[in-house]
Amino acid sequence: MARFIDRVVLHLAAGDGGNGCASVHREKFKPLGGPDGGNGGHGGDIILEVSPQVHTLLDLHYRPHIKAGRGKNGAGDHRNGARGEDMVLEVPAGTVVLSETGETLADLTTVGMRFIAAEGGYGGLGNAALASAARKAPGFALKGEPGETHDVILELKSMADVGLVGYPSAGKSSLISVLSAAKPKIGDYPFTTLQPNLGVVEVGHDTFTIADVPGLIPGASEGKGLGLDFLRHIERTAVLAHVVDTATLEPGRDPASDIEALEAELAAYQSALDEDTGLGDLRDRPRIIVLNKADIPEAEELAEFVKADLIEQFGWPVFIISAVARKGLDPLKYKLLEIVQEARKARPQQKAEPKLIVRPKAVDAKGKGHDFSIEEDPEIPGGFIILGEKPQRWIMQTDFENDEAVGYLADRLNRMGVEDALAKAGAKAGCAVTIGEVTFEWEPMTAAGVDPTLTGRGTDIRLSRTERVSAAERKRASQVRRGLIDEFDYGDGQEADRERWQG
């Protein structure tokens, strides 16, 4: 038996961007070929798309960990890396995407509608794209950005026009089976229906959809029975139909008390959607009352007796039917169609589009004055934390093993105004400054923002006094580890000294 899954938690990891390439064109008789490193490819996105072939979230329930393809690295000769493959997940119409905090991110109601749930990282620029008048042949490239990683919650809310509510064994499944071609499980015991059943009802040349909601009993809002897990499936309905069992023999049960008890549970249930397709809150939806099981003489007599009282008490239309005997169904169908058509006319008209792409909120690349903010570091005395989309992206793009790349980062931060903002905030030379996951000592004397003097590839003269291990030191340490040279022998005939090597 297929399981009905209407709520899943997905762990998403979009593709990382590929790294840019630092390359210099080499060709015979062309000694100054110039930079030709290509850009890295963007990482793949994770996209949710509404498909008419999917009716449940079962597939995603069994594979909740989703990862998109990584972008390829750039290469020399201006070859850009390929974009990572997108991961497209098919979901049924009526799927609501929620964040971990419960915020509604998207409401996917139309076939073909798409939502980018996790965006892939941007590929890093190659040194050909970084060349400028100041850096004619950059000896570095930018690294690719990591893709977004977060969790989202998918909830399926059935797109039914009519929702049936009632006590267990009131005949909701039987009513759907005779009004439509649906074949739900039917039995005379509590909670026969363990999942919502949907059916399409044809009335002349028109149709509408109908769904029942299992497990709605007094105390369901407090977790009794099946609880309120399935009530999300009637949030979009245009009309609610109370199916009342007029043949029940349980003490203390009568049509009026049954309806009042279920209305109290509906009032306790609050919709998670603030804007519910323009239909308002559940307590404002049109209602009708369906007195079922009129094929039993005593039940039909009770239904005729209480019909007038129910109309006077609730003010809703009342129909007496028998789902088993198929009695009184036509007036009920036409009344339901009439209410559904009125609700459809009242809905705001949406522009018909084959595919509506919903994207996350874009970052304003041209915004000035709102790119970053500075706060005092609560963990490091005298330290500061720089917050902002751009600075954190630039940190992830920087290769800190390359002094020229670090100098380029300093120039970018200076042009944004970070240096001046730190000075105004009271930062002192040597204080700890944290951007993203990187903490470094602030050196205001570093001439950031000026045209760097041309030096060797991968170096920056402004960082000549850095305590960072140089390339020559790394090379010598590697030779020592492999036993190629003596650790203290520098080839000048002098006595080895541990304090001798200063870089």
Side-chain angles (χ1 to χ4, degrees), residues 135 368 371-372 374 386 390-391 394-395 405-424 433 435 440 442-452 462:
R135 294 183 175 86
K368 300 296 182 182
D371 291 330
F372 71 95
I374 297 180
I386 299 176
K390 284 186 177 179
W394 294 347
I395 286 291
V406 176
Y408 179 72
L409 171 64
D411 292 339
R412 300 176 85 178
L413 294 176
N414 181 75
R415 285 194 297 268
M416 182 183 283
V418 173
E419 292 273 346
D420 295 337
L422 282 172
K424 292 180 181 179
V433 176
I435 306 178
F440 55 90
W442 184 52
E443 296 294 342
M445 298 303 294
T446 300
V450 302
D451 291 344
R462 297 170 298 176

Side-chain angles (χ1 to χ4, degrees), residues 439-476:
T439 301
F440 55 90
E441 294 182 358
W442 184 52
E443 296 294 342
M445 298 303 294
T446 300
V450 302
D451 291 344
T453 303
L454 293 179
T455 57
R457 294 181 65 240
T459 63
D460 193 309
I461 195 172
R462 297 170 298 176
L463 302 176
S464 59
R465 296 182 179 180
T466 180
E467 297 180 359
R468 195 178 294 106
V469 178
S470 66
E473 290 177 298
R474 291 197 300 270
K475 180 178 179 180
R476 179 173 178 82

Side-chain angles (χ1 to χ4, degrees), residues 189-204:
Y189 49 89
F191 306 126
T192 305
T193 304
L194 299 179
Q195 65 188 42
N197 295 308
L198 278 75
V200 178
V201 181
E202 296 184 2
V203 185

Side-chain angles (χ1 to χ4, degrees), residues 170-179 186 243 290-295 320-329 332:
K172 301 186 297 295
S173 299
S174 299
L175 182 58
I176 286 185
S177 67
V178 296
L179 291 179
I186 300 173
V243 181
V290 180
L291 302 178
N292 193 20
K293 303 187 180 181
D295 55 295
I320 300 175
I321 70 162
S322 171
V324 173
R326 299 177 181 262
K327 176 182 177 181
L329 299 181
L332 174 62

Side-chain angles (χ1 to χ4, degrees), residues 30-103:
K30 289 186 178 181
L32 301 177
D36 67 346
N39 303 330
H42 294 339
D45 300 329
I46 298 178
I47 303 173
L48 303 178
E49 181 175 3
V50 179
S51 171
Q53 308 299 325
V54 180
H55 306 287
T56 179
L57 301 175
L58 182 63
D59 290 344
L60 298 179
H61 172 74
Y62 286 116
R63 53 183 190 101
H65 296 273
I66 311 296
K67 184 175 179 60
R70 183 185 185 280
K72 303 299 182 181
N73 296 335
D77 198 19
H78 300 283
R79 290 174 293 176
N80 296 330
R83 178 185 173 88
E85 184 178 359
D86 292 337
M87 179 65 69
V88 180
L89 307 177
E90 294 184 341
V91 297
T95 301
V96 179
V97 187
L98 306 173
S99 66
E100 297 178 80
T101 59
E103 177 187 0

Side-chain angles (χ1 to χ4, degrees), residues 153-272:
I153 303 170
L154 303 186
E155 288 188 352
L156 176 59
K157 300 183 178 181
S158 302
M159 305 290 290
D161 297 310
V162 179
L164 302 183
V165 295
Y167 273 72
S169 299
K172 301 186 297 295
S173 299
S174 299
L175 182 58
I176 286 185
S177 67
V178 296
L179 291 179
S180 69
K183 302 299 180 184
K185 182 180 179 181
I186 300 173
D188 187 17
Y189 49 89
F191 306 126
T192 305
T193 304
L194 299 179
Q195 65 188 42
N197 295 308
L198 278 75
V200 178
V201 181
E202 296 184 2
V203 185
H205 298 289
D206 293 313
T207 62
F208 62 87
T209 55
I210 187 170
D212 70 336
V213 180
L216 184 59
I217 62 173
S221 59
E222 302 173 358
K224 293 183 179 180
L226 300 180
L228 296 179
D229 288 341
F230 296 108
L231 267 181
R232 66 175 68 96
H233 294 278
I234 63 171
E235 287 186 357
R236 303 179 189 276
T237 56
V239 56
L240 297 180
H242 279 278
V243 181
V244 181
D245 182 3
T246 56
T248 181
L249 300 177
E250 294 183 24
R253 291 273 305 276
D254 63 80
S257 61
D258 285 2
I259 297 173
E260 291 173 351
L262 297 186
E263 283 294 323
E265 294 302 322
L266 289 174
Y269 179 76
Q270 297 298 325
S271 173

Side-chain angles (χ1 to χ4, degrees), residues 18-21 37-40 123-130 140-143 408 412:
N19 298 329
C21 175
N39 303 330
L125 296 178
N127 65 342
L130 297 173
F140 69 98
L142 298 185
K143 300 168 64 177
Y408 179 72
R412 300 176 85 178

